[in-house]
């Protein structure tokens, strides 16, 4: 009986560990599942892009996760508690036209802890928020975020 309990605990631990690692490594890939569809408005004659959001992304709302990315500073300060976080380095980020809106999120650190700008990727752990789609706004936030070491 003891062996089966130990085996069960080991299996559950392994599944949770694999799940956490997958979420860490695949957050941007999951967000990249958003597909934008063109729709033409008869009322104003303008073609709009509207995202088709996968239920998997909506289900992530409120989950704690670790995200690897690049700091895009919002001010000239060395350390920031509020910044943009990109799946890609600055030269390839959404703002430079090389990626889509699904490749960035806004970060708000826990207790306004400062995170130093670096050209190297960093890991941030926080609560993921899916904000929905607004044409001139971001779709994702990472709240109460803290910088962490790379997961193993």
């Amino acid at each position: 009986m003891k062996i089966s309990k130990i085996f069960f605990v080991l299996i559950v631990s392994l599944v949770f560990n694999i799940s956490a690692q997958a979420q860490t490594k695949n957050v941007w890939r999951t967000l990249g599942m958003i597909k934008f569809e063109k729709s033409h408005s008869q009322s104003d004659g303008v073609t709009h892009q509207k995202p088709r959001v996968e239920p998997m992304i909506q289900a992530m709302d409120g989950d704690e996760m670790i995200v690897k990315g690049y700091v895009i500073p919002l001010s000239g300060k060395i350390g920031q508690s509020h910044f943009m976080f990109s799946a890609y380095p600055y030269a390839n980020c959404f703002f430079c036209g090389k990626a889509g809106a699904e490749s960035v999120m806004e970060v708000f650190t826990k207790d306004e802890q400062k995170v130093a700008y670096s050209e190297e990727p960093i890991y941030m752990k926080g609560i993921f928020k899916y904000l929905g789609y607004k044409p001139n706004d971001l779709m994702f936030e990472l709240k109460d975020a803290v910088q962490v070491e790379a997961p193993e």
Side-chain angles (χ1 to χ4, degrees):
M1 188 69 158
K2 283 185 177 184
I3 292 176
S4 64
K5 285 182 181 180
I6 292 171
F7 182 72
F8 176 75
V9 169
L10 287 173
I11 293 297
V12 169
S13 298
L14 180 63
V15 167
F16 280 113
N17 190 28
I18 290 171
S19 172
Q21 288 179 358
Q23 194 167 12
T24 297
K25 293 179 181 177
N26 295 319
V27 172
W28 295 117
R29 184 178 303 151
T30 302
L31 298 181
M33 295 171 76
I34 292 177
K35 301 297 180 214
F36 289 86
E37 299 170 345
K38 291 182 180 181
S39 64
H40 186 75
S41 172
Q42 295 295 335
S43 62
D44 61 8
V46 176
T47 300
H48 300 275
Q49 295 242 15
K50 185 175 181 185
R52 186 182 75 231
V53 179
E54 298 292 328
M56 178 186 302
I57 294 170
Q58 292 172 330
M60 289 169 34
D61 185 54
D63 287 352
E64 184 177 77
M65 59 183 58
I66 298 173
V67 184
K68 178 183 178 182
Y70 296 85
V71 173
I72 309 288
L74 294 175
S75 73
K77 297 178 182 175
I78 293 173
Q80 300 187 25
S81 60
H82 173 218
F83 53 91
M84 302 305 301
F85 205 47
S86 175
Y88 304 107
Y90 187 72
N92 299 320
C93 82
F94 170 62
F95 304 104
C96 297
K98 304 285 184 187
E102 72 283 353
S103 69
V104 293
M105 64 179 65
E106 195 169 10
V107 173
F108 297 92
T109 62
K110 185 175 186 172
D111 300 325
E112 296 189 18
Q113 295 174 1
K114 304 291 186 200
V115 173
Y117 171 75
S118 170
E119 291 183 4
E120 300 299 320
I122 64 169
Y123 290 85
M124 297 298 298
K125 179 180 177 181
I127 306 298
F128 177 82
K129 299 299 294 175
Y130 169 64
L131 305 173
Y133 177 71
K134 299 173 196 130
N136 297 317
D137 225 340
L138 295 175
M139 293 187 283
F140 313 113
E141 285 182 354
L142 197 62
K143 296 276 209 181
D144 294 328
V146 295
Q147 188 174 353
V148 295
E149 295 296 319
E152 293 181 17

